[in-house]
């Protein structure tokens, strides 16, 4: 590259994607512009360390470039601080900080990629009584003649109103240019699709020549990490196909707040985030239709759920107001929209039903999960929790229902954990620690055998042991507590080093090494603190709702979402993530949001039910509650400083309380902020 040139060529490996970028462009921005995924959870502030990359130096004849580490500017203050406080290999740079000065070949290491992430959002079995917003009517229209000079569309409307008894039937303008040709193709026999929902006038939205008996609907759960879609037969209510994919918005930010921050700093990029998620939905719709031999035009209705940020980004609404108090939603009520207005490649007349959002951080996904689990229909007091960056909490029964969100942060998703990663092949998802030897055994995603079983050594090379995911870190901390490796206050007991070499000193604190064959995977004191802060915030949110409800009683707990389904309820309770409850009454309910989306898709009564329920739910803002801090401090202990957990103690032999000098192991108890 010459001195006068304004652009530099950058090639990203292993993807092989390349582009020309102005000198001074941050590497992370260059990667995102090419669709290269590099993990980042801190909004480009250089504090999470997830976006590490390295420069492949040398002459690359095929690329016609000379790549050198000198073609990146010097390390920033943020990088130097990260390298001092954590660890940054000498050949690594933080791509959010490093700026392009010249031609480069950049290697994105495997530990900075999550494109192999496991999508865990299947359709849960549920019998749903069909009462779709779409009805099919087949009729034969009289041919036109000279005596009755009425338009074909007008005669069709009148015939449909006579057949169905519907007054004032409207016609979607998208059909105006097609009605005459369809009537003649069918030799005057046609099948009409009529959309009826709520107080809106019934509308003719699609027309086919001849007789048609099957049309489909699409129920979509847009998560911050994954998107799950279910194709349903609108006539009989059956779910005929399901599929999931990673949310492509992840390249703009790992979690919700980093995406809000990205839009705030790059307001012109909002359409890119919206386009990315809509294109992913279109790809899923095409795949699902193909799986059952249908056409995209056979999809007449769709329902969408998601947290408030995903809801807004899908609709093309700037989510920046959700990034700070008072967390104002642009739109919260349910709405019916034209699919074509959202650039969805379905039938041109297809409709979209957006489920209502409950509050600024309690979204349509929580509303859908509430619809699926039905606490508002029961006498039993139910706690429904969707664990995520902001845990969404619903508590109550048919008499009274409350909702809140609690700022847990991304620790349960692997961020802020030294060896943390998302659920992908190679991640430790289960762990047990022998009480006598203190040796761990674990299970890795992608390998059937546990680490101490026959066959593990022969198969682990296919995926490696690359990190620990959310369910694994919960079990690791809980098992360390049960084994006496950490105290009630979450301090790793250095005295146990006399019993096992797996306890190692790290300055004034200690760590526990789980694996060290290829990449060392250890639980650091800072990891335990991150989990304590996250679980403390969630538990405090639940306690606030219990205070408002005026009871400590819990009859049942339901853990929603892909992550909630993979948490072992016993370990969640040992950790103090959830309150005490008979263990048999605690269960993961899978993709409850997706189930609620399917219920709303297939039955109009469920739409009215959740609209009314959301109006009735009492919304509690944890940030405004003075008792939050007290509950939070108590919830930092394992399982809790003051709550006795009688049901848990009856089922599990919890350790005797012991105190250890905490040193400076990050023991400061603070409340995590949403941003």
């Amino acid at each position: 590259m010459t001195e006068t040139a304004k652009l530099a060529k950058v090639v990203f490996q292993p993807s092989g994607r390349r582009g020309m970028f102005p000198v001074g462009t941050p590497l992370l921005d260059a990667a995102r512009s090419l669709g290269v995924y590099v993990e980042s959870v801190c909004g480009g502030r250089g504090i999470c360390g997830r976006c590490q990359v390295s420069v492949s130096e040398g002459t690359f004849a095929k690329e016609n470039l000379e790549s050198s580490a000198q073609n990146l500017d010097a390390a920033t203050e943020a990088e130097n601080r990260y390298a001092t406080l954590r660890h940054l290999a000498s050949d690594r740079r933080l791509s959010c900080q490093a700026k392009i000065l010249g031609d480069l070949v950049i290697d994105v290491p495997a530990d900075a990629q999550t494109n192999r992430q496991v999508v865990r959002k299947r359709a849960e079995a549920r019998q749903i009584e069909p009462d779709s917003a779409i009805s099919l009517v087949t009729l034969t229209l009289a041919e036109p003649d000279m005596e009755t000079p009425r338009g074909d569309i007008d005669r069709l409307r009148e015939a449909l109103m006579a057949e169905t008894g519907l007054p004032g039937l409207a016609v979607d303008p998208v059909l105006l240019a097609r009605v005459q040709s369809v009537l003649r193709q069918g030799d005057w026999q046609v099948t009409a699709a009529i959309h009826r929902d709520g107080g809106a006038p019934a509308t003719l939205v699609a027309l086919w020549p001849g007789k048609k008996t099957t049309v489909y609907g699409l129920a979509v759960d847009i998560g911050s990490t994954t998107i799950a879609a279910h194709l349903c037969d609108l006539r009989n209510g059956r779910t005929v196909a399901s599929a999931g994919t990673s949310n492509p918005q992840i390249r703009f930010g790992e979690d919700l707040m980093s995406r809000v921050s990205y839009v705030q700093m790059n307001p012109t990029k909002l359409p890119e985030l919206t386009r990315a998620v809509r294109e992913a939905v279109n790809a899923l719709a095409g795949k699902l239709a193909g799986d059952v031999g249908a056409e995209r035009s056979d999809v007449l209705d769709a329902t969408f759920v998601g947290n408030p940020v995903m809801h807004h980004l899908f609709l093309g609404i700037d989510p920046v107001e959700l990034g700070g108090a008072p967390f104002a939603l642009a739109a919260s009520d349910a709405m019916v929209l034209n699919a074509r207005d959202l650039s969805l490649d379905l039938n041109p007349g297809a409709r979209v039903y957006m489920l209502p959002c409950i509050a600024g951080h309690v979204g349509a996904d929580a509303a859908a999960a509430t619809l699926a689990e039905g606490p508002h229909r029961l006498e039993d007091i139910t706690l429904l929790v969707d664990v995520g960056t902001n845990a969404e909490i619903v508590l109550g029964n048919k008499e009274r229902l409350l909702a809140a969100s609690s700022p847990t942060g991304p620790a349960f998703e692997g961020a802020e954990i030294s060896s943390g990663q998302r659920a992908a092949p190679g991640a430790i998802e289960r762990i047990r620690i022998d009480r006598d030897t203190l040796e761990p055994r674990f299970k890795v995603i992608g390998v059937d055998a546990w680490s101490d079983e026959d066959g593990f050594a022969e198969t682990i090379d296919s995926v490696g042991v690359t990190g620990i995911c959310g369910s694994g870190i919960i079990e690791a901390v809980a098992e360390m507590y049960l084994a006496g490796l950490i105290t009630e206050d979450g301090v790793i007991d250095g005295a146990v080093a006399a019993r096992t070499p797996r306890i190692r000193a790290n300055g004034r604190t200690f760590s526990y090494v789980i694996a060290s064959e290829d990449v060392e995977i250890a639980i650091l004191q800072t990891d335990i603190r991150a989990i304590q802060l996250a679980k403390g915030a969630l538990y405090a949110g639940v306690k606030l709702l219990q205070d408002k409800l005026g009871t400590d009683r819990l009859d049942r707990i339901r853990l929603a979402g892909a992550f909630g389904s993979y948490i072992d309820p016993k370990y969640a309770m040992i950790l103090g993530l959830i309150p005490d409850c008979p263990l048999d009454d605690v269960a993961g309910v899978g993709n409850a949001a997706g189930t609620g989306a399917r219920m709303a898709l297939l039955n109009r009564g469920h739409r009215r039910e959740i609209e009314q329920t959301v109006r009735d739910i009492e919304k509690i803002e944890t940030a405004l509650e003075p008792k939050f801090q007290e509950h939070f401090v108590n919830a930092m202990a394992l399982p809790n400083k003051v709550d006795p957990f009688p049901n848990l103690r009856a089922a599990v032999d919890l350790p005797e309380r012991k105190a250890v000098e905490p040193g400076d192991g990050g023991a400061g108890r603070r409340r995590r902020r949403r941003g």
Side-chain angles (χ1 to χ4, degrees):
M1 178 176 158
T2 65
E3 290 184 1
T4 57
K6 302 294 185 184
L7 299 176
K9 183 177 183 180
V10 182
V11 181
F12 289 91
Q13 299 294 4
S15 67
R17 296 185 180 179
R18 67 209 67 217
M20 302 295 292
F21 299 94
V23 167
T25 301
L27 268 178
L28 186 58
D29 289 354
R32 284 171 170 163
S33 71
L34 295 174
V36 175
Y37 179 71
V38 179
E39 191 171 4
S40 174
V41 301
C42 68
R45 291 174 290 161
I47 59 176
C48 73
R50 296 298 200 194
C51 66
Q52 296 181 29
V53 298
S54 60
V55 177
S56 297
E57 295 194 277
T59 301
F60 293 81
K62 182 180 177 183
E63 305 293 347
N64 191 28
L65 64 82
E66 180 90 13
S67 177
S68 168
Q70 302 302 312
N71 288 346
L72 287 174
D73 68 345
T76 65
E77 182 180 345
E79 280 182 286
N80 291 330
R81 185 171 64 248
Y82 180 87
T84 301
L85 296 176
R86 303 291 291 274
H87 175 68
L88 188 64
S90 59
D91 64 339
R92 294 281 186 95
R93 294 292 303 274
L94 301 183
S95 62
C96 67
Q97 300 294 307
K99 293 182 179 178
I100 298 166
L101 298 182
D103 296 346
L104 292 160
V105 174
I106 298 296
D107 179 61
V108 182
D111 55 3
Q113 304 174 46
T114 61
N115 53 357
R116 297 179 299 151
Q117 181 186 336
V118 179
V119 176
R120 293 170 156 174
K121 288 191 176 181
R122 68 180 188 275
E124 307 297 331
R126 178 71 63 99
Q127 186 66 39
I128 303 169
E129 186 68 30
D131 179 22
S132 167
I134 298 292
S135 56
L136 295 182
V137 179
T138 300
L139 54 73
T140 300
L141 195 66
E143 294 188 39
D145 58 46
M146 300 289 286
E147 305 300 322
T148 53
R150 296 272 292 153
D152 288 344
I153 293 174
D154 304 297
R155 294 191 304 113
L156 176 63
R157 281 182 63 252
E158 290 168 358
L160 286 169
M161 287 190 287
E163 180 75 19
T164 62
L166 292 171
L169 180 67
V171 178
D172 191 311
V174 79
L175 287 174
L176 295 178
R178 297 186 57 245
V179 168
Q180 286 193 310
S181 62
V182 172
L183 283 167
R184 285 156 180 80
Q185 287 172 37
D187 196 20
W188 302 99
Q189 183 189 55
V190 290
T191 299
I194 297 173
H195 178 271
R196 283 181 291 168
D197 187 28
T203 305
L204 173 63
V205 294
L207 195 67
W208 294 271
K211 187 173 180 64
K212 186 173 180 64
T213 58
T214 302
V215 289
Y216 298 98
L218 195 66
V220 184
D221 173 16
I222 302 176
S224 56
T225 307
T226 59
I227 302 172
H230 310 286
L231 189 70
C232 302
D233 186 322
L234 294 180
R235 303 298 299 276
N236 58 29
R238 288 180 55 240
T239 300
V240 295
S242 298
T245 186
S246 295
N247 188 333
Q249 289 178 343
I250 207 166
R251 68 178 184 262
F252 300 103
E254 183 71 11
D255 61 10
L256 297 175
M257 288 303 105
S258 61
R259 277 175 229 178
V260 172
S261 175
Y262 181 81
V263 174
Q264 191 169 21
M265 293 187 293
N266 304 277
T268 61
K269 300 290 188 180
L270 173 61
E272 290 187 29
L273 277 80
T274 297
R275 182 167 56 251
V277 70
R278 291 178 180 177
E279 287 176 352
V281 171
N282 280 330
L284 284 175
K287 179 187 185 308
L288 293 173
D291 286 347
V292 299
E295 302 291 333
R296 289 178 181 270
S297 58
D298 293 331
V299 182
L300 267 293
D301 202 8
T303 53
F304 284 83
V305 302
N307 59 60
V309 174
M310 293 300 96
H311 172 278
H312 279 35
L313 288 174
F314 173 70
L315 293 175
I317 299 171
D318 190 330
V320 167
E321 292 298 328
L322 294 170
F327 314 110
L329 289 153
S332 56
D333 287 349
M335 58 184 86
V336 177
L337 306 167
N338 295 322
R340 60 183 182 269
D341 292 339
L342 301 177
S343 303
L344 296 180
D345 190 5
L346 309 175
N347 187 288
R351 296 298 193 259
V352 164
Y353 177 79
M354 303 292 300
L355 273 75
C357 290
I358 297 174
H361 279 278
V362 190
D365 52 350
T370 302
L371 176 62
E373 291 307 308
H376 55 289
R377 306 183 205 111
L378 303 173
E379 295 283 354
D380 289 345
I381 294 177
T382 299
L383 172 64
L384 175 64
V385 181
D386 191 339
V387 183
T389 305
N390 272 292
E392 297 172 318
I393 309 165
V394 177
L395 176 71
N397 61 5
K398 63 191 299 183
E399 302 299 327
R400 189 180 176 200
L401 210 57
L402 302 98
S405 69
S406 207
T408 52
F412 292 135
E413 298 177 346
E416 300 183 351
I417 305 300
S418 58
S419 299
Q421 68 169 85
R422 291 197 180 275
I428 294 173
E429 62 172 345
R430 296 275 179 260
I431 184 169
R432 301 290 181 267
I433 298 174
D434 187 278
R435 304 295 183 264
D436 297 320
T437 66
L438 303 181
E439 283 296 298
R441 64 188 189 94
F442 51 84
K443 193 172 185 304
V444 173
I445 296 175
V447 177
D448 292 334
W450 283 70
S451 59
D452 61 342
E453 292 178 341
D454 292 341
F456 180 82
E458 289 75 20
T459 54
I460 191 60
D461 285 345
S462 62
V463 296
V465 182
T466 57
I468 186 165
C469 66
S471 61
I473 190 70
I474 285 175
E475 292 193 6
V477 176
E479 277 281 309
M480 289 173 71
Y481 172 59
L482 293 176
L485 294 167
I486 60 177
T487 69
E488 173 197 35
D489 291 324
V491 178
I492 299 177
D493 187 353
V496 185
R499 293 176 54 196
T500 174
R502 291 187 178 274
I503 294 290
R504 296 183 184 172
N506 295 91
R508 295 178 62 190
T509 63
F510 296 87
S511 62
Y512 176 73
V513 179
I514 298 173
S516 56
E517 281 73 17
D518 296 318
V519 178
E520 181 172 286
I521 297 170
I523 304 299
L524 309 185
Q525 185 64 64
T526 52
D527 299 334
I528 294 172
R529 284 291 177 252
I531 291 298
Q532 286 179 283
L533 290 164
K535 72 101 174 179
L538 194 159
Y539 195 95
V542 174
K543 290 292 288 184
L544 278 178
L545 293 192
Q546 288 185 299
D547 291 347
K548 296 289 183 182
L549 200 60
T551 181
D552 286 331
R553 184 182 123 217
L554 278 180
D555 297 315
R556 58 202 289 267
I557 297 176
R558 295 295 181 260
L559 302 171
F563 178 55
S565 298
Y566 282 84
I567 301 172
D568 186 312
K570 180 178 76 172
Y571 285 104
M573 202 174 288
I574 292 168
L575 188 70
L577 180 69
I578 53 176
D580 190 59
C581 181
L583 279 170
D584 289 344
D585 294 319
V586 184
V589 291
N591 185 19
T595 300
R598 288 189 293 130
M599 292 171 68
L601 173 70
L602 293 168
N603 188 296
R604 291 174 292 176
H606 287 316
R607 298 184 181 188
R608 307 294 86 78
E609 178 186 356
I610 194 55
E611 290 165 8
Q612 184 61 51
T613 300
V614 167
R615 281 193 289 270
D616 293 341
I617 287 178
E618 298 174 47
K619 295 84 174 176
I620 307 300
E621 178 49 62
T622 57
L624 302 178
E625 296 295 329
K627 284 202 72 175
F628 184 95
Q629 190 67 19
E630 178 186 337
H631 288 315
F632 175 70
V633 169
N634 291 331
M636 286 286 287
L638 300 173
N640 192 278
K641 183 67 74 176
V642 295
D643 290 346
F645 281 77
N647 289 292
L648 177 64
R649 291 184 183 276
V652 178
D653 185 18
L654 296 181
E656 292 296 320
R657 293 180 172 179
K658 64 176 179 177
V660 170
E661 192 64 37
D664 63 349
R669 288 169 177 170
R670 58 185 172 82
R671 182 181 172 196
R672 181 181 307 283
R673 293 175 299 168
R674 278 204 172 90

